[in-house]
Amino acid sequence: MLRPSLPVPRVSNAVVPLIIAAVTVTLSYAAWAALAPGVATSSEPVQRHLTTHRAVRDSKGDVLAWYRPQQTLGYDHVLRLDWRFMERKVPSDQRWKTGLPVHLVSSVFDGATKQGSYWQHNPASLYGQFVDSLVAWHAYSGDDAAVPIVKQMLDYQLAHGTTPAGWDWPRAPFATACAGDADYGHCLAGMPRSFYGGIETDKVGELGVGYVQFYELTGEGRYLDAAIAAADALARHVRPGDAGHTPWPFRVDARTGKVLKGKQYGGMIVAPVRLFDELIRIGQGDVASYTRARDLAWRWLVNNPMNPRSPAFHKWSGYFEDVDGDDQNLNQALPTMTAYYLLTRPDPGALDPAWRTHVRDLLEWVRSYFGRGPYMGAWAIDEQHQPGRRGCCSEAGLGSDTSRWGAVNALYAARTGNKGARVRAFRALNYATYFTDDEGRVACCGDDFDNPYWFDDGYADYARNFNWAMAALPELAPRGQDHLLGSTAVVQQVNYAQRAVRYRTFQADGTETLRLTFRPKKVTADGKVLAPGARPGYTVTPLRHGDVVVRVFRDGAHEVAITG
């Protein structure tokens, strides 16, 4: 039975996504609605292993979000369930008697007891992804309770999961811990449980991005210091790389810098690139060193896994902390996040003249290599496998991987106007909503996978994708509600009132995208009235049912007020 939507806060402080591309194409609501001309609840599940909800389908038989798709409330409802679960329903650890919230000591929880249920924890990637999700969700929802949840994660990592200053990789975050350990640094895949000090270099970048974003949100200098320390370690160890060597070895002993078990290749190379980019953008740390390291790493990506002439073409391997596989085990996280990075640059062409071809190729390769289905018109995306093998983890695909692939398709559609990408995004995101149950438990996979409740697959990575997609295509956001969907800067504060929105940004220049129930009568930036259709200024694009999409173009201003 369909349940009423959670209330939408109207007045709050909030934050929006750090780097979301300004949409270049606005779709009419009528064109978008043509994808779903009718709504009916099916008697069958959307996929035979995904049985939490009965499928909701349009008149063509294609999948819609399971919650009130007529009002485009499906993504909003899933987000509210997910964050309410993190804020109210994660218990303290009783299994290992630490008394800490379960997500600080375990990557997985049991669906019935909500206690930790795995051998390993993956804090660095988990917490970095949670910051991505927070800065998107907080602005969109005005949910103040989400901020201390993520702050606790970062503070705990700094206190219990950071390498000592005297090591070869100093002040770097540990990627792993044994489940139930109060201090991080053990249980790296392939190493003895007693081994202490191993890190994954891409996670140094991934959590570094989280640290710098949280600094921009809060202004608290210790997070900037942590981001700079991570960037300094990465910049000092960067190398040009080749078809057999990534710009950083995947796994190293942080004490000595020695490569562990020959892991010279692997990892999410674009994560350090994102970190360098942001510190360069805000002028913090050793900008010259970061520029050199970023350029080396980006050049390696273009010349190797994105280059059809390279022996490493599409060799997207190494990421998951619990896998001690060889570099032939490929995964979809690396190419989709590389595509995300390209699509969220202010000018992708300045970074990569062939960005359209590269993004299209990355999205199609992920679909062809990891795709399951299609199921009721939607492609599901699985996680990883070696060539010629059926891989992990579920015939239903994964909710996080499917929604991330959908979100990147939405960004690509927004940048290029590609109608096929728009449809793929819509269907994949709709399908991905079915991994969330009414209690807010999000399964990574279908019921053909044991131990399905992962904090990253179900919350940190999964949730951010719906916000990213709505920022790219505002037609996906709820009808009849006011939301700040995306910004090219961290929004430090936003207040929603009746026919009014006010917000303040970290940077003085930028662009925001909002979906509003009212047409602006007056827009000011630092008290100066902005003109419609100008830069600086704003644009208004009407949608069906009276909503409008507003884009504000700031120039040297931090505070914006919109009144109707």
Side-chain angles (χ1 to χ4, degrees):
M1 185 175 74
L2 297 180
R3 299 178 183 274
S5 152
L6 299 175
V8 179
R10 305 296 297 182
V11 182
S12 180
N13 300 332
V15 180
V16 295
L18 173 61
I19 303 174
I20 294 292
V23 179
T24 57
V25 176
T26 299
L27 306 170
S28 71
Y29 193 93
W32 188 261
L35 290 175
V39 177
T41 301
S42 171
S43 61
E44 59 183 316
V46 69
Q47 202 276 341
R48 69 190 183 102
H49 293 295
L50 202 56
T51 58
T52 302
H53 306 282
R54 299 291 92 184
V56 179
R57 308 173 73 169
D58 65 19
S59 61
K60 297 179 181 178
D62 290 333
V63 66
L64 299 171
W66 60 266
Y67 183 82
R68 296 176 65 179
Q70 305 95 320
Q71 288 79 40
T72 57
L73 283 173
Y75 309 163
D76 176 274
H77 189 62
V78 163
L79 284 165
R80 294 182 187 282
L81 287 170
D82 295 0
W83 278 102
R84 184 170 64 180
F85 184 91
M86 288 302 303
E87 293 163 10
R88 304 179 188 177
K89 298 184 179 182
V90 178
S92 61
D93 162 49
Q94 301 301 318
R95 177 178 177 181
W96 297 291
K97 310 301 182 186
T98 66
L100 295 166
V102 170
H103 57 260
L104 295 185
V105 293
S106 182
S107 57
V108 186
F109 65 91
D110 177 86
T113 67
K114 301 183 179 65
Q115 292 296 306
S117 61
Y118 199 54
W119 65 276
Q120 186 195 59
H121 186 32
N122 60 340
S125 63
L126 175 64
Y127 303 164
Q129 292 166 19
F130 256 117
V131 180
D132 267 343
S133 286
L134 171 68
V135 297
W137 163 250
H138 193 201
Y140 170 89
S141 66
D143 180 8
D144 295 319
V147 177
I149 299 294
V150 178
K151 177 181 170 62
Q152 183 185 41
M153 297 176 190
L154 301 185
D155 289 347
Y156 198 85
Q157 179 88 39
L158 287 173
H160 298 274
T162 305
T163 63
W167 285 17
D168 186 69
W169 281 76
R171 301 178 62 199
F174 286 118
T176 63
C178 297
D181 281 1
D183 292 299
Y184 303 159
H186 291 88
C187 279
L188 191 64
M191 302 301 294
R193 183 185 180 97
S194 61
F195 174 75
Y196 174 73
I199 62 170
E200 293 183 347
T201 58
D202 62 336
K203 309 310 184 296
V204 177
E206 194 167 17
L207 185 53
V209 174
Y211 284 141
V212 71
Q213 290 186 83
F214 206 75
Y215 157 71
E216 293 176 9
L217 165 60
T218 65
E220 295 186 41
R222 67 179 179 277
Y223 303 114
L224 176 61
D225 291 343
I228 289 173
D232 287 346
L234 287 161
R236 187 161 67 87
H237 289 91
V238 72
R239 60 191 186 186
D242 54 35
H245 299 76
T246 41
W248 298 272
F250 180 39
R251 289 177 175 147
V252 301
D253 184 339
R255 294 177 185 269
T256 65
K258 179 183 177 181
V259 179
L260 295 174
K261 297 190 69 176
K263 300 296 184 185
Q264 295 282 3
Y265 189 101
M268 186 180 286
I269 302 304
V270 79
V273 170
R274 286 181 69 197
L275 171 59
F276 292 138
D277 238 21
E278 188 56 21
L279 289 172
I280 293 166
R281 184 169 84 132
I282 66 175
Q284 295 289 340
D286 187 348
V287 169
S289 175
Y290 302 162
T291 301
R292 173 183 173 274
R294 179 199 61 185
D295 293 348
L296 274 175
W298 180 250
R299 190 156 50 244
W300 180 86
L301 281 165
V302 172
N303 291 337
N304 288 281
M306 294 167 67
N307 179 10
R309 296 180 295 278
S310 170
F313 182 50
H314 285 326
K315 191 178 177 182
W316 301 103
S317 69
Y319 178 68
F320 300 105
E321 297 89 339
D322 58 346
V323 176
D324 183 33
D326 61 38
D327 59 13
Q328 298 304 309
N329 184 49
L330 309 181
N331 69 78
Q332 44 59 53
L334 312 186
T336 51
M337 286 304 295
T338 301
Y340 169 82
Y341 170 75
L342 266 172
L343 290 167
T344 53
R345 297 310 90 192
D347 181 5
L351 179 67
D352 177 10
W355 68 271
R356 285 180 174 82
T357 299
H358 283 147
V359 171
R360 186 172 62 246
D361 174 69
L362 292 170
L363 289 170
E364 176 54 24
W365 180 78
V366 168
R367 186 205 62 79
S368 63
Y369 195 89
F370 299 100
R372 303 271 198 162
Y375 303 125
M376 298 184 183
W379 283 101
I381 305 299
D382 215 342
E383 184 177 90
Q384 58 181 306
H385 65 87
Q386 294 180 340
R389 298 187 183 180
R390 201 59 168 157
C392 181
C393 299
S394 172
E395 188 180 320
L398 275 74
S400 59
D401 302 336
T402 302
S403 59
R404 190 179 342 99
W405 185 78
V408 177
N409 269 285
L411 286 161
Y412 183 64
R415 281 287 194 182
T416 66
N418 186 289
K419 294 181 180 179
R422 173 168 61 103
V423 175
R424 288 191 294 272
F426 184 57
R427 297 303 178 197
L429 290 157
N430 290 346
Y431 178 85
T433 66
Y434 288 80
F435 290 82
T436 298
D437 69 15
D438 288 319
E439 189 183 342
R441 294 176 304 182
V442 188
C444 68
C445 317
D447 58 20
D448 55 341
F449 184 84
D450 294 332
N451 234 16
Y453 296 108
W454 294 65
F455 284 109
D456 51 2
D457 293 295
Y459 299 88
D461 180 23
Y462 176 77
R464 63 182 176 177
N465 302 318
F466 294 102
N467 281 120
W468 286 351
M470 289 188 288
L473 297 173
E475 295 83 0
L476 293 173
R479 193 174 78 200
Q481 298 181 10
D482 297 330
H483 293 287
L484 204 168
L485 301 175
S487 175
T488 57
V490 164
V491 177
Q492 297 177 316
Q493 184 180 45
V494 60
N495 296 309
Y496 294 100
Q498 188 66 33
R499 299 179 66 82
V501 180
R502 305 176 71 90
Y503 61 89
R504 183 181 69 241
T505 63
F506 172 78
Q507 287 192 303
D509 299 312
T511 301
E512 283 72 56
T513 300
L514 304 93
R515 177 166 177 161
L516 302 176
T517 57
F518 60 92
R519 180 178 289 271
K521 183 177 181 180
K522 182 179 181 182
V523 179
T524 63
D526 282 359
K528 180 180 178 181
V529 176
L530 298 181
R535 294 186 75 111
Y538 66 97
T539 62
V540 179
T541 303
L543 297 173
R544 196 179 176 189
H545 302 295
D547 288 358
V548 295
V549 176
V550 176
R551 293 193 175 88
V552 178
F553 306 97
R554 291 176 291 109
D555 223 359
H558 291 276
E559 298 194 11
V560 172
I562 304 171
T563 56

